[in-house]
Amino acid sequence: MHRFRNYTRTNYCPRVTGRRVAWWDAALYGASALVAAATAVYDSIPLLADWGRRAIVPYALGALAAAGLAASWRRVSERGRSIGRAVVLGAVFIGAVLVPLALNIAARQRGPEPHAQSETLLTEEAAAAFVRGENPYDVSYEDGPLGRWPSKNWLHLPYLPGILVFGLPHALSGQTPLADARLIFLTAAAAVTLVGLRLSKAPPDRLLTAVMVLLVLPTGARYIAGGGDDIVVLALMLLALVLATRSQPLAAGVILGLAAAIKQTAWPLLPFLIVAAQDRRRRRATGRALAGAGAVLVPVILPLLAWGPAAFVEDTVLYPLGLTEERTLAGSPTIGHLLGRAFPSARGPLLVVLSASVLIVGAYLLIRRSPATPAAAADHTAIVFTLAVFLATAGRFGYLIYPLNLLIWSRLLLRPPQQSQVPASGGTAYATASSTDMASPSAKSFS
């Protein structure tokens, strides 16, 4: 039987399924309430400040409910505990994600203010341009809802062509609330996440924690309220990793290709997952994973690249790297950004050196520490992604949600299970990890 199959409740470390997990829920919801309050007070983006004000109460109530569940843990059955956690999570999701999003979409219909971030409007406007037969990478979006924004918001489309799919409903049906790109992003992300989690066969406690981080806590909710494109990319990356864990390299490649066709943030996972891909006989399946990814990326990207190569490269490569006249929106005070500001005349060489540093680390992890499992691929990608965020001359701390989710999936959903500790025949010794786990240090179960 393949080492990535047959997850069972008893195979997981019991310390993450006891009362402690409920107390962790309470702590995370409580911390989320503080983050929402800080966002409401200090965030310079009105839309996100509004989200913060609306999310404080749901997170605070979620913390109280989770604490109550933890306090009554011994008096509730195992099934009741899982249901209780799921109910709390669902209620917080409604209050901190769905209600703020619905209010913003409704407000957008009533007045001239967009009540959406520029990435939402840009997705919709680019899709509309494509429907009109215009090259979305070679037009200006100054005429329209983005016209009141600075030029860096409407002069470039920094996403890959797959993003246009999420703007098509709005482009085809106009101002219908259900066609809002944020709602399309969320619907797609939720559906893909549910499929991925179901296929993972992980215990309910771990599934709920993964959903909490991806969709419910500020690590997801804040981004859904603002745009939502990163969440759907993350959901596709999760599904790709789960499919690779189930020894389905072609399907994993196709799904990861979809994510990479939407946004460049999925690309760091591509080489690691392709190298780690195996078939059901535990043979390396790099070719099939690569073919799956290529089968999506080539037909999606190549036509737009051929339509206007210079415009495509400027929007999707140069602008995100901060190499165009209009500075990218990504301007967090990362190490690379601070160095770029301190030495503006050396910005080009500095970018080359910092990018080379990231590539060298990535090459070392890919070649010398080649990932043998999807969990290891997720870990390696998290390292490279974190380094890239901090060294980017045009970085954004918000992108740290990618390595955060990758590390959580690696430990909760992707690692092969350890054998439960059972008394040996003498009654004094205990069985340890399975031989498969011991053969692969990157495959140890999180406990």
Side-chain angles (χ1 to χ4, degrees):
M1 184 60 65
H2 195 277
R3 59 176 169 173
F4 295 139
R5 291 180 147 195
N6 291 341
Y7 286 103
T8 61
R9 190 183 309 277
T10 57
N11 280 340
Y12 282 84
C13 181
R15 285 188 291 173
V16 298
T17 58
R19 179 186 296 184
R20 182 180 300 183
V21 75
W23 284 119
W24 269 109
D25 286 355
L28 290 173
Y29 288 136
S32 297
L34 295 178
V35 170
T39 302
V41 174
Y42 298 110
D43 203 301
S44 59
I45 302 176
L47 182 70
L48 295 182
D50 287 342
W51 167 82
R53 285 189 289 271
R54 292 163 178 164
I56 295 173
V57 173
Y59 284 135
L61 293 177
L64 292 175
L69 181 62
S72 60
W73 196 259
R74 296 185 184 277
R75 300 192 299 272
V76 181
S77 67
E78 182 178 357
R79 178 177 176 80
R81 297 165 189 168
S82 294
I83 293 176
R85 285 192 72 209
V87 169
V88 173
L89 183 143
V92 175
F93 177 71
I94 292 172
V97 179
L98 293 185
V99 170
L101 181 58
L103 291 174
N104 283 328
I105 292 175
R108 182 181 181 185
Q109 310 303 311
R110 295 194 299 264
E113 288 297 323
H115 292 281
Q117 281 190 247
S118 59
E119 50 259 54
T120 299
L121 303 176
L122 190 57
T123 298
E124 297 170 350
E125 293 299 302
F130 184 74
V131 169
R132 293 193 302 268
E134 300 174 339
N135 184 348
Y137 295 98
D138 199 23
V139 298
S140 168
Y141 299 101
E142 184 177 9
D143 296 330
L146 285 165
R148 68 185 70 191
W149 299 65
S151 61
K152 59 185 177 182
N153 294 88
W154 49 257
L155 197 55
H156 298 282
L157 177 64
Y159 313 116
L160 295 175
I163 199 78
L164 301 176
V165 172
F166 301 93
L168 284 177
H170 188 273
L172 297 174
S173 62
Q175 298 297 324
T176 304
L178 294 179
D180 190 289
R182 289 167 295 183
L183 191 56
I184 310 301
F185 281 132
L186 177 57
T187 302
V192 172
T193 299
L194 290 176
V195 172
L197 294 178
R198 182 174 179 81
L199 292 177
S200 75
K201 304 294 186 183
D205 281 334
R206 295 192 170 210
L207 299 180
L208 290 173
T209 300
V211 171
M212 182 187 302
V213 175
L214 179 60
L215 298 177
V216 180
L217 299 183
T219 49
R222 185 178 185 276
Y223 298 87
I224 293 170
D229 54 315
D230 290 303
I231 304 303
V232 75
V233 172
L234 274 166
L236 288 167
M237 292 167 67
L238 167 62
L239 179 56
L241 285 164
V242 169
L243 289 170
T245 300
R246 292 169 57 89
S247 301
Q248 296 177 256
L250 182 62
V254 169
I255 297 300
L256 187 55
L258 288 173
I262 296 171
K263 198 168 184 178
Q264 299 88 327
T265 45
W267 284 70
L269 180 59
L270 271 171
F272 294 111
L273 187 64
I274 288 172
V275 167
Q278 295 183 355
D279 62 17
R280 296 184 185 279
R281 297 182 181 180
R282 295 173 60 182
R283 298 175 301 186
R284 188 174 293 275
T286 297
R288 274 173 279 180
L290 180 60
V296 176
L297 288 172
V298 172
V300 171
I301 292 179
L302 192 58
L304 273 297
L305 175 62
W307 196 348
F312 185 89
V313 171
E314 180 178 351
D315 279 10
T316 62
V317 179
L318 301 181
Y319 176 69
L321 291 176
L323 296 179
T324 56
E325 184 177 347
E326 298 79 19
R327 293 302 183 199
T328 172
L329 294 174
S332 297
T334 63
I335 295 173
H337 180 74
L338 295 176
L339 288 173
R341 290 184 61 182
F343 306 100
S345 60
R347 189 177 184 87
L350 189 62
L351 175 63
V352 171
V353 172
L354 295 176
S355 299
S357 302
V358 176
L359 291 175
I360 289 171
V361 172
Y364 172 78
L365 292 174
L366 187 65
I367 299 171
R368 301 292 296 175
R369 301 294 299 272
S370 183
T373 65
D379 286 340
H380 288 11
T381 305
I383 293 172
V384 173
F385 211 119
T386 303
L387 186 64
V389 168
F390 281 102
L391 293 186
T393 54
R396 180 177 288 178
F397 285 141
Y399 284 149
L400 290 175
I401 62 172
Y402 283 88
L404 172 65
N405 278 280
L406 286 167
L407 291 174
I408 288 173
W409 301 338
S410 170
R411 282 146 182 79
L412 297 185
L413 307 176
L414 305 177
R415 294 179 186 270
Q418 289 182 326
Q419 293 177 351
S420 300
Q421 290 190 335
V422 232
S425 57
T428 56
Y430 287 84
T432 56
S434 67
S435 58
T436 302
D437 294 337
M438 297 178 68
S440 177
S442 64
K444 293 179 182 177
S445 178
F446 174 75
S447 58

